[in-house]
Short mmCIF file of all heavy atoms in Angstrom, two decimals:
data_model
loop_
_atom_site.label_atom_id
_atom_site.label_comp_id
_atom_site.label_asym_id
_atom_site.label_seq_id
_atom_site.Cartn_x
_atom_site.Cartn_y
_atom_site.Cartn_z
N TYR A 334 11.19 1.74 -0.45
CA TYR A 334 11.40 0.66 -1.42
C TYR A 334 10.84 1.05 -2.78
O TYR A 334 11.44 0.81 -3.82
CB TYR A 334 10.75 -0.64 -0.93
CG TYR A 334 10.74 -1.72 -1.98
CD1 TYR A 334 11.92 -2.31 -2.39
CD2 TYR A 334 9.55 -2.12 -2.58
CE1 TYR A 334 11.93 -3.29 -3.36
CE2 TYR A 334 9.55 -3.10 -3.56
CZ TYR A 334 10.74 -3.68 -3.95
OH TYR A 334 10.73 -4.63 -4.93
N LEU A 336 10.03 4.01 -5.09
CA LEU A 336 10.35 5.43 -5.22
C LEU A 336 9.35 6.07 -6.19
O LEU A 336 9.54 6.06 -7.39
CB LEU A 336 11.78 5.61 -5.71
CG LEU A 336 12.30 7.04 -5.72
CD1 LEU A 336 12.28 7.65 -4.32
CD2 LEU A 336 13.72 7.08 -6.25
N TYR A 338 6.75 9.51 -6.77
CA TYR A 338 6.56 10.88 -6.30
C TYR A 338 5.27 11.43 -6.88
O TYR A 338 4.77 10.95 -7.88
CB TYR A 338 7.76 11.75 -6.68
CG TYR A 338 8.14 11.68 -8.15
CD1 TYR A 338 7.62 12.59 -9.05
CD2 TYR A 338 8.99 10.68 -8.62
CE1 TYR A 338 7.95 12.52 -10.39
CE2 TYR A 338 9.32 10.59 -9.96
CZ TYR A 338 8.79 11.52 -10.85
OH TYR A 338 9.10 11.43 -12.17
N ARG A 350 -10.59 7.71 -10.07
CA ARG A 350 -10.12 6.52 -9.35
C ARG A 350 -9.56 6.90 -7.98
O ARG A 350 -9.91 6.33 -6.96
CB ARG A 350 -9.01 5.80 -10.13
CG ARG A 350 -8.29 4.75 -9.30
CD ARG A 350 -7.09 4.16 -10.00
NE ARG A 350 -5.93 5.05 -10.02
CZ ARG A 350 -5.10 5.23 -9.00
NH1 ARG A 350 -5.31 4.61 -7.86
NH2 ARG A 350 -4.06 6.03 -9.10
N PHE A 367 -11.08 -3.05 -10.03
CA PHE A 367 -10.39 -1.84 -9.58
C PHE A 367 -8.90 -2.08 -9.66
O PHE A 367 -8.44 -3.12 -9.21
CB PHE A 367 -10.78 -1.48 -8.14
CG PHE A 367 -10.12 -0.21 -7.68
CD1 PHE A 367 -10.72 1.00 -7.92
CD2 PHE A 367 -8.87 -0.26 -7.06
CE1 PHE A 367 -10.08 2.18 -7.52
CE2 PHE A 367 -8.24 0.92 -6.68
CZ PHE A 367 -8.86 2.13 -6.91
N PHE A 395 -9.28 -10.37 2.40
CA PHE A 395 -8.98 -11.65 1.74
C PHE A 395 -7.62 -12.15 2.23
O PHE A 395 -7.43 -13.30 2.56
CB PHE A 395 -9.01 -11.48 0.23
CG PHE A 395 -8.79 -12.76 -0.54
CD1 PHE A 395 -9.73 -13.76 -0.56
CD2 PHE A 395 -7.61 -12.95 -1.24
CE1 PHE A 395 -9.53 -14.93 -1.26
CE2 PHE A 395 -7.39 -14.12 -1.95
CZ PHE A 395 -8.35 -15.12 -1.95
N THR A 396 -6.68 -11.23 2.28
CA THR A 396 -5.38 -11.50 2.90
C THR A 396 -4.74 -10.15 3.20
O THR A 396 -5.07 -9.16 2.58
CB THR A 396 -4.49 -12.38 2.01
OG1 THR A 396 -3.25 -12.63 2.68
CG2 THR A 396 -4.20 -11.75 0.67
N MET A 398 -1.17 -7.98 5.30
CA MET A 398 0.18 -8.08 5.86
C MET A 398 0.67 -6.72 6.32
O MET A 398 0.24 -5.70 5.83
CB MET A 398 1.12 -8.63 4.78
CG MET A 398 2.50 -8.98 5.29
SD MET A 398 2.51 -9.90 6.84
CE MET A 398 1.55 -11.34 6.40
N GLU A 407 -1.07 -3.61 4.44
CA GLU A 407 -1.60 -3.68 3.08
C GLU A 407 -2.43 -4.95 2.97
O GLU A 407 -2.28 -5.86 3.80
CB GLU A 407 -0.46 -3.75 2.06
CG GLU A 407 0.41 -4.99 2.26
CD GLU A 407 1.38 -5.25 1.11
OE1 GLU A 407 2.41 -4.61 1.07
OE2 GLU A 407 1.06 -6.11 0.28
N GLY A 416 -15.91 -7.30 -6.61
CA GLY A 416 -14.76 -6.43 -6.78
C GLY A 416 -13.72 -6.71 -5.71
O GLY A 416 -14.04 -7.08 -4.58
N ARG A 417 -12.47 -6.59 -6.14
CA ARG A 417 -11.35 -6.79 -5.22
C ARG A 417 -10.45 -5.58 -5.31
O ARG A 417 -10.16 -5.11 -6.41
CB ARG A 417 -10.58 -8.06 -5.57
CG ARG A 417 -9.33 -8.27 -4.73
CD ARG A 417 -8.61 -9.56 -5.07
NE ARG A 417 -9.37 -10.73 -4.63
CZ ARG A 417 -8.91 -11.99 -4.75
NH1 ARG A 417 -7.76 -12.22 -5.31
NH2 ARG A 417 -9.66 -12.99 -4.34
N ASN A 421 -3.59 -0.20 0.78
CA ASN A 421 -3.06 -0.13 2.13
C ASN A 421 -4.22 -0.14 3.12
O ASN A 421 -5.36 0.13 2.76
CB ASN A 421 -2.21 1.14 2.31
CG ASN A 421 -0.83 0.98 1.70
OD1 ASN A 421 -0.36 1.84 0.98
ND2 ASN A 421 -0.17 -0.13 1.98
N ILE A 443 -1.10 9.70 1.90
CA ILE A 443 -0.01 8.76 1.72
C ILE A 443 1.24 9.57 1.39
O ILE A 443 1.19 10.51 0.60
CB ILE A 443 -0.34 7.71 0.64
CG1 ILE A 443 0.75 6.67 0.54
CG2 ILE A 443 -0.60 8.35 -0.72
CD1 ILE A 443 0.31 5.44 -0.21
N TYR A 454 -3.25 11.55 -1.67
CA TYR A 454 -4.31 10.90 -0.89
C TYR A 454 -4.72 9.62 -1.61
O TYR A 454 -4.58 9.48 -2.82
CB TYR A 454 -5.53 11.81 -0.77
CG TYR A 454 -5.30 13.06 0.05
CD1 TYR A 454 -4.92 14.25 -0.57
CD2 TYR A 454 -5.46 13.04 1.43
CE1 TYR A 454 -4.70 15.40 0.18
CE2 TYR A 454 -5.25 14.20 2.18
CZ TYR A 454 -4.88 15.37 1.55
OH TYR A 454 -4.66 16.51 2.29
N ASP B 123 12.63 0.51 -6.20
CA ASP B 123 11.77 0.28 -7.34
C ASP B 123 11.53 1.62 -8.05
O ASP B 123 10.89 2.49 -7.49
CB ASP B 123 10.45 -0.30 -6.82
CG ASP B 123 9.70 -1.02 -7.90
OD1 ASP B 123 10.08 -0.86 -9.07
OD2 ASP B 123 8.74 -1.73 -7.58
N THR B 125 9.59 3.38 -9.71
CA THR B 125 8.24 3.48 -10.25
C THR B 125 8.02 4.84 -10.89
O THR B 125 8.67 5.81 -10.53
CB THR B 125 7.23 3.27 -9.11
OG1 THR B 125 7.62 2.11 -8.41
CG2 THR B 125 5.83 3.06 -9.63
N TYR B 128 3.22 9.06 -9.38
CA TYR B 128 2.00 8.62 -8.73
C TYR B 128 0.87 8.15 -9.66
O TYR B 128 0.04 8.92 -10.10
CB TYR B 128 1.52 9.81 -7.92
CG TYR B 128 0.43 9.54 -6.93
CD1 TYR B 128 0.22 8.27 -6.46
CD2 TYR B 128 -0.35 10.58 -6.48
CE1 TYR B 128 -0.77 8.04 -5.53
CE2 TYR B 128 -1.34 10.36 -5.55
CZ TYR B 128 -1.54 9.08 -5.08
OH TYR B 128 -2.53 8.86 -4.18
N ASP B 133 0.77 4.12 -5.46
CA ASP B 133 0.19 4.66 -4.23
C ASP B 133 -0.02 3.59 -3.16
O ASP B 133 -0.64 3.84 -2.16
CB ASP B 133 -1.13 5.39 -4.53
CG ASP B 133 -2.09 4.56 -5.35
OD1 ASP B 133 -1.88 3.35 -5.44
OD2 ASP B 133 -3.03 5.14 -5.89
N ILE B 134 0.47 2.39 -3.40
CA ILE B 134 0.37 1.37 -2.36
C ILE B 134 1.77 1.06 -1.88
O ILE B 134 2.62 0.64 -2.64
CB ILE B 134 -0.32 0.10 -2.89
CG1 ILE B 134 -1.70 0.46 -3.41
CG2 ILE B 134 -0.40 -0.96 -1.80
CD1 ILE B 134 -2.28 -0.56 -4.34
N MET B 135 1.99 1.34 -0.62
CA MET B 135 3.31 1.14 -0.05
C MET B 135 3.46 -0.34 0.30
O MET B 135 2.71 -0.86 1.12
CB MET B 135 3.46 1.99 1.20
CG MET B 135 3.47 3.47 0.88
SD MET B 135 4.99 3.91 0.03
CE MET B 135 4.44 5.15 -1.09
N PHE B 136 4.40 -1.01 -0.32
CA PHE B 136 4.56 -2.43 -0.02
C PHE B 136 6.03 -2.81 -0.16
O PHE B 136 6.82 -2.11 -0.77
CB PHE B 136 3.69 -3.28 -0.95
CG PHE B 136 4.40 -3.70 -2.21
CD1 PHE B 136 4.76 -5.02 -2.42
CD2 PHE B 136 4.73 -2.76 -3.16
CE1 PHE B 136 5.44 -5.39 -3.57
CE2 PHE B 136 5.40 -3.12 -4.32
CZ PHE B 136 5.75 -4.44 -4.53
N GLN B 144 1.53 -12.80 2.30
CA GLN B 144 0.07 -12.86 2.11
C GLN B 144 -0.35 -14.12 1.37
O GLN B 144 -1.40 -14.69 1.65
CB GLN B 144 -0.41 -11.61 1.38
CG GLN B 144 -0.30 -10.39 2.26
CD GLN B 144 -0.91 -9.16 1.63
OE1 GLN B 144 -2.11 -9.05 1.51
NE2 GLN B 144 -0.08 -8.23 1.21
N ARG B 148 -2.77 -17.14 2.84
CA ARG B 148 -3.90 -17.66 2.07
C ARG B 148 -3.73 -19.17 1.84
O ARG B 148 -4.69 -19.92 1.88
CB ARG B 148 -3.93 -16.90 0.74
CG ARG B 148 -5.27 -16.69 0.11
CD ARG B 148 -6.29 -16.02 0.96
NE ARG B 148 -7.54 -16.74 0.84
CZ ARG B 148 -8.67 -16.43 1.47
NH1 ARG B 148 -8.72 -15.37 2.27
NH2 ARG B 148 -9.74 -17.14 1.33
N PRO B 200 4.61 -12.18 9.10
CA PRO B 200 4.09 -13.51 9.45
C PRO B 200 3.45 -14.22 8.26
O PRO B 200 2.71 -13.58 7.52
CB PRO B 200 3.02 -13.19 10.51
CG PRO B 200 3.33 -11.82 10.99
CD PRO B 200 4.04 -11.12 9.90
N ALA B 247 -4.53 -11.28 -9.76
CA ALA B 247 -4.74 -11.56 -8.33
C ALA B 247 -5.37 -10.37 -7.61
O ALA B 247 -6.09 -10.53 -6.64
CB ALA B 247 -3.43 -11.96 -7.67
N ILE B 249 -7.20 -7.86 -9.25
CA ILE B 249 -8.43 -7.31 -9.85
C ILE B 249 -9.53 -8.34 -10.06
O ILE B 249 -10.68 -7.96 -10.22
CB ILE B 249 -8.17 -6.54 -11.17
CG1 ILE B 249 -7.46 -7.40 -12.20
CG2 ILE B 249 -7.41 -5.26 -10.93
CD1 ILE B 249 -7.31 -6.70 -13.55
N ASP B 251 -11.93 -10.87 -8.46
CA ASP B 251 -12.30 -11.07 -7.06
C ASP B 251 -12.43 -12.54 -6.67
O ASP B 251 -12.60 -12.85 -5.50
CB ASP B 251 -13.57 -10.28 -6.70
CG ASP B 251 -14.74 -10.62 -7.60
OD1 ASP B 251 -14.68 -11.63 -8.32
OD2 ASP B 251 -15.72 -9.85 -7.58
N TRP B 253 -9.98 -14.76 -7.66
CA TRP B 253 -8.66 -15.36 -7.83
C TRP B 253 -8.22 -15.98 -6.49
O TRP B 253 -8.20 -15.31 -5.47
CB TRP B 253 -7.64 -14.31 -8.29
CG TRP B 253 -6.34 -14.95 -8.60
CD1 TRP B 253 -5.21 -14.91 -7.83
CD2 TRP B 253 -6.03 -15.78 -9.73
NE1 TRP B 253 -4.22 -15.67 -8.41
CE2 TRP B 253 -4.70 -16.21 -9.57
CE3 TRP B 253 -6.76 -16.21 -10.83
CZ2 TRP B 253 -4.08 -17.06 -10.48
CZ3 TRP B 253 -6.13 -17.04 -11.75
CH2 TRP B 253 -4.81 -17.45 -11.57
#
Side-chain angles (χ1 to χ4, degrees):
Chain A
Y334 170 69
L336 188 60
Y338 52 93
R350 168 187 75 80
F367 182 88
F395 183 70
T396 181
M398 189 45 58
E407 61 168 80
R417 175 178 289 183
N421 282 132
I443 185 164
Y454 294 93
Chain B
D123 201 346
T125 311
Y128 192 22
D133 51 15
I134 302 161
M135 293 290 145
F136 91 110
Q144 290 187 71
R148 211 56 225 179
I249 56 174
D251 56 14
W253 186 256

